[in-house]
Amino acid sequence: MGKGGSLSDNVIKNIILSYTYVSIWILLSFTVIVYNKYILDKKLYNWPFPISLTMIHMSFCATLAFLLVKVFRFVDPVSMSKGLYLSSVVPIGALYSLSLWLSNSAYIYLSVSFIQMLKALMPVAVYSIGVLFKKDSFKADTMLNMVSISFGVAIAAYGEARFDTWGVVLQLGAVAFEATRLVMIQILLTSKGITLNPITSLYYVAPCCLVFLLVPWIFVEYPVLKESSGFDFDFVIFGTNSFCAFALNLAVFLLVGKTSALTMNVAGVVKDWLLIAFSWSVIKDTVTPINLFGYGLAFLGVAYYNHAKLQSLKAKEAEKKVAQTDQEADRLLGEKQGQGSDK
């Protein structure tokens, strides 16, 4: 085949690879969510200790990350001073521990489908906190879009058959802390030219999470575990669950690195619909028509938000290309004028 055929082959190959990365991420994210629900739900595995589960995840991830960085030299550690670690990584670790703790706790009280509907508020939280910290500029049309997403989630919550106020508070808290963490990463690390892949991120952040989780664990879950049979550790269940959590971190890096963060956002919407369908058909969670109508409105708002971000990225790339072309033209003109003066 000629050059045109070769190009077509490359395009097809890239499309197949992109769909493969998306499929791996959806599968692992799906597995971790359902697995956590299975372990924590009192009607299923009945091990309702979200702080302990999060600490198991962090211990596993920290150990594996340490082996990959320090022992096997799979990736190089990032050069980081003690001051930078304390001022940047520690706050991010604290926010991450709170986000994981609260999101895992919500599985005890809410259905998988309703949790996914509440997670549609993530763009709202990220944008609002970004504006608060002056990382995003306030735009009336974007805020109107955020209000429409919130309105859709509110309708979905109104129609929830298993509505639990405490569970909703926990999940909304998890969304708020996760959104703050994402903005803090941009402020504290990206602005300083530091980028962490999932392995180095877990290498630095997971130990912080363990320390921050240890305090509430001692007072909240340790006494209950001590008095019950909760310390009976099933290595198969918790080992495979922790490995899935670690693999999900790698899948996020693979997906964002090989495609884009926007692709992950779009794939996340597909994953949410699949989880809602799975929750309704397999787990037998009740999904009401009002649930679906409300989440449908929120879904349209999120889809529009992703579309607007895509258009903004395209506009920025076009501006960058125009600027590069102008610079190249100025350079060539300067060289021409220089040659003319030499004559």
Side-chain angles (χ1 to χ4, degrees), residues 50 54 58 95-105 174 178 209:
T54 308
M58 289 297 100
L95 291 167
Y96 194 36
S97 64
L98 288 167
S99 171
L100 292 172
W101 171 16
L102 297 185
S103 63
N104 283 334
S105 299
E178 178 62 13
C209 289

Side-chain angles (χ1 to χ4, degrees), residues 249-301:
N249 279 279
L250 298 184
V252 169
F253 176 66
L254 186 68
L255 180 60
V256 175
K258 299 297 183 181
T259 57
S260 68
L262 189 63
T263 300
M264 194 176 92
N265 288 341
V266 175
V269 174
V270 175
K271 178 206 69 180
D272 291 342
W273 279 111
L274 289 173
L275 275 166
I276 290 169
F278 179 85
S279 177
W280 169 73
S281 60
V282 179
I283 304 178
K284 302 301 180 184
D285 284 334
T286 302
V287 180
T288 67
I290 298 177
N291 270 148
L292 293 176
F293 176 72
Y295 183 66
L297 288 178
F299 162 74
L300 291 175

Side-chain angles (χ1 to χ4, degrees), residues 309-329:
K309 285 192 73 174
L310 179 61
Q311 296 305 313
S312 176
L313 286 172
K314 285 182 176 179
K316 286 180 180 178
E317 287 180 2
E319 288 176 4
K320 192 181 291 185
K321 285 181 180 178
V322 169
Q324 289 175 347
T325 303
D326 289 343
Q327 287 178 357
E328 183 65 18

Side-chain angles (χ1 to χ4, degrees), residues 54-71 198-211 242 246 249:
T54 308
M55 289 179 70
I56 291 169
H57 286 172
M58 289 297 100
S59 299
F60 182 90
C61 290
T63 302
L64 207 51
F66 176 82
L67 291 173
L68 290 172
V69 172
K70 288 294 186 180
V71 178
I199 297 175
T200 53
S201 177
L202 289 172
Y203 175 77
Y204 289 110
V205 174
C208 290
C209 289
L210 277 174
V211 172
S242 298
F246 182 81
N249 279 279

Side-chain angles (χ1 to χ4, degrees), residues 78-89:
V78 176
S79 178
M80 190 179 302
S81 66
K82 185 179 178 180
L84 180 61
Y85 182 83
L86 292 173
S87 64
S88 300
V89 175

Side-chain angles (χ1 to χ4, degrees), residues 146-221:
M146 298 298 106
V147 171
S148 71
I149 295 171
S150 303
F151 182 66
V153 173
I155 293 174
Y158 177 77
E160 174 60 21
R162 280 186 55 197
F163 186 91
D164 185 283
T165 303
W166 181 237
V168 171
V169 169
L170 288 170
Q171 185 55 48
L172 292 180
V175 168
F177 283 123
E178 178 62 13
T180 308
R181 183 182 76 92
L182 294 174
V183 175
M184 286 295 105
I185 288 174
Q186 188 179 3
I187 294 172
L188 299 175
L189 294 180
T190 309
S191 62
K192 295 176 182 177
I194 296 174
T195 54
L196 300 175
N197 63 48
I199 297 175
T200 53
S201 177
L202 289 172
Y203 175 77
Y204 289 110
V205 174
C208 290
C209 289
L210 277 174
V211 172
F212 284 112
L213 290 168
L214 189 62
V215 177
W217 180 78
I218 290 172
F219 293 102
V220 177
E221 292 187 2

Side-chain angles (χ1 to χ4, degrees), residues 28-157:
L28 286 169
S29 182
F30 193 100
T31 302
V32 169
I33 288 169
V34 174
Y35 212 158
N36 287 351
K37 172 68 175 176
Y38 167 75
I39 291 172
L40 294 165
D41 198 300
K42 294 177 182 179
K43 295 178 182 178
L44 300 172
Y45 188 75
N46 191 25
W47 202 76
F49 302 104
I51 305 176
S52 301
L53 182 64
T54 308
M55 289 179 70
I56 291 169
H57 286 172
M58 289 297 100
S59 299
F60 182 90
C61 290
T63 302
L64 207 51
F66 176 82
L67 291 173
L68 290 172
V69 172
K70 288 294 186 180
V71 178
F72 298 108
R73 308 284 182 179
F74 185 75
V75 292
D76 294 323
V78 176
S79 178
M80 190 179 302
S81 66
K82 185 179 178 180
L84 180 61
Y85 182 83
L86 292 173
S87 64
S88 300
V89 175
V90 170
I92 290 169
L95 291 167
Y96 194 36
S97 64
L98 288 167
S99 171
L100 292 172
W101 171 16
L102 297 185
S103 63
N104 283 334
S105 299
Y107 287 113
I108 299 173
Y109 304 96
L110 303 175
S111 66
V112 170
S113 57
F114 186 42
I115 286 175
Q116 300 314 121
M117 294 177 190
L118 291 175
K119 284 182 180 179
L121 288 170
M122 184 61 75
V124 179
V126 171
Y127 177 72
S128 301
I129 294 169
V131 170
L132 184 65
F133 284 97
K134 297 181 179 179
K135 293 304 294 182
D136 270 312
S137 57
F138 178 85
K139 296 178 182 177
D141 56 342
T142 305
M143 185 52 72
L144 184 63
N145 185 24
M146 298 298 106
V147 171
S148 71
I149 295 171
S150 303
F151 182 66
V153 173
I155 293 174

